Amino acid sequence: MKNVVSSSLKLSLNRLQQALGYEFQSQTLLATALSHRSVGKDNNERLEFLGDALLSTIIAEELFNRFPEGQEGDMSRVRASLVKGETLAEIAREKNIGECLRLGEGELKTGGFRRSSILADAVEAIIGAIYLEAGLEVCRKIVLFWFADMLDSIELEESGKDSKTRLQEYMQEHKQDLPVYRVVNRLGEAHSPKFEVSCEVHSGGKKTSAISTSKRKAEKLAAKQMLLELGL
């Protein structure tokens, strides 16, 4: 049984590293990043501390470069939404980090591998581990890879309203039916899926589509394309 469990965990870790876009040279470092404090002294809290600081800096720098006219308040708001716990937990779920976590018996019994706070902490710890092993440039590249879709969907000038909200408000203002979103295709491997989502408005029979790592992100990108189609 021990060999079966070990083999299963190794397969999960291989899939995780594929999904992360980074292969650790030190599997011990990866194991530490995945170890919740409930397992004892060798846990991921120090890596989490480091990763939190790195993530904030990397995202801040990217927003600064992407939006040369961006105001401090707007960029701070967007950064906060990107680095918040629920966003990180969503990334963790997309990459199935939960199935690789090392948890103490109590956390295992209470479903800690699904808890958003534990998942978010693990993402930050992995960022810290990548930085220690490969340096800042590689760490930045990996983080921006994870956040690519979210960064691409940012519309800083819209005071926090995303594309779906803007499109919905436009249709309501013009007394038209709300946009309809449908998943038209599922792509990629089971452990790292991508979703193709269509956005359709009955006015003029317009239809757009977009692909992303989650249905929610794909909907936002499809809505953004629809706004362009409508000249907005």
Side-chain angles (χ1 to χ4, degrees):
M1 176 64 76
K2 184 176 179 181
N3 289 337
V4 172
V5 173
S6 177
S7 175
S8 175
L9 178 59
K10 185 176 180 180
L11 180 60
S12 295
L13 289 173
N14 287 339
R15 287 175 174 169
L16 171 61
Q17 290 174 99
Q18 272 189 316
L20 294 175
Y22 180 79
E23 183 175 353
F24 278 87
Q25 299 304 304
S26 170
Q27 294 298 302
T28 300
L29 186 58
L30 173 59
T32 302
L34 294 168
S35 299
H36 184 253
R37 63 176 177 269
S38 60
V39 303
K41 185 175 69 172
D42 295 327
N43 60 60
N44 63 9
E45 286 188 323
R46 283 172 55 81
L47 288 172
E48 174 201 335
F49 166 78
L50 181 59
D52 175 60
L54 288 162
L55 175 62
S56 184
T57 299
I58 290 168
I59 294 298
E61 181 185 39
E62 181 67 13
L63 294 174
F64 183 86
N65 291 332
R66 279 185 179 236
F67 303 103
E69 304 298 324
Q71 298 299 304
E72 184 271 339
D74 291 333
M75 290 192 292
S76 293
R77 170 184 52 75
V78 171
R79 179 182 61 181
S81 72
L82 290 174
V83 305
K84 68 181 181 181
E86 193 50 52
T87 303
L88 300 184
E90 183 179 331
I91 289 173
R93 292 185 183 103
E94 288 173 1
K95 302 184 184 308
N96 292 321
I97 288 176
E99 70 180 36
C100 299
L101 290 175
R102 294 177 63 214
L103 302 170
E105 186 176 345
E107 288 293 348
L108 281 171
K109 287 180 178 178
T110 57
F113 59 92
R114 291 190 296 267
R115 190 167 300 134
S116 291
S117 60
I118 291 177
L119 291 171
D121 290 347
V123 171
E124 290 178 337
I126 290 170
I127 291 171
I130 293 173
Y131 167 77
L132 289 179
E133 183 172 274
L136 182 58
E137 288 308 312
V138 171
C139 183
R140 178 187 288 112
K141 180 180 177 182
I142 296 300
V143 168
L144 294 180
F145 167 64
W146 298 350
F147 282 83
D149 289 336
M150 285 180 274
L151 287 164
D152 288 344
S153 67
I154 290 170
E155 297 154 48
L156 207 59
E157 72 281 1
E158 290 301 322
S159 302
K161 293 181 181 179
D162 63 31
S163 299
K164 283 186 68 177
T165 302
R166 290 174 58 207
L167 181 58
Q168 179 173 312
E169 289 180 350
Y170 173 83
M171 303 307 286
Q172 289 173 328
E173 183 182 340
H174 290 78
K175 302 188 186 308
Q176 296 179 17
D177 292 337
L178 294 181
V180 176
Y181 298 93
R182 292 188 178 89
V183 177
V184 296
N185 202 0
R186 181 180 170 121
L187 310 165
E189 302 294 331
H191 66 279
S192 184
K194 290 190 175 182
F195 300 90
E196 182 179 3
V197 173
S198 67
C199 172
E200 186 173 2
V201 296
H202 295 299
S203 174
K206 294 184 182 298
K207 189 174 184 179
T208 59
S209 66
I211 298 173
S212 189
T213 52
S214 76
K215 288 181 276 190
R216 183 175 65 85
K217 293 175 192 173
E219 286 174 356
K220 286 185 178 181
L221 291 171
K224 186 175 183 179
Q225 291 300 317
M226 182 59 71
L227 288 169
L228 292 174
E229 286 283 326
L230 295 170
L232 301 174

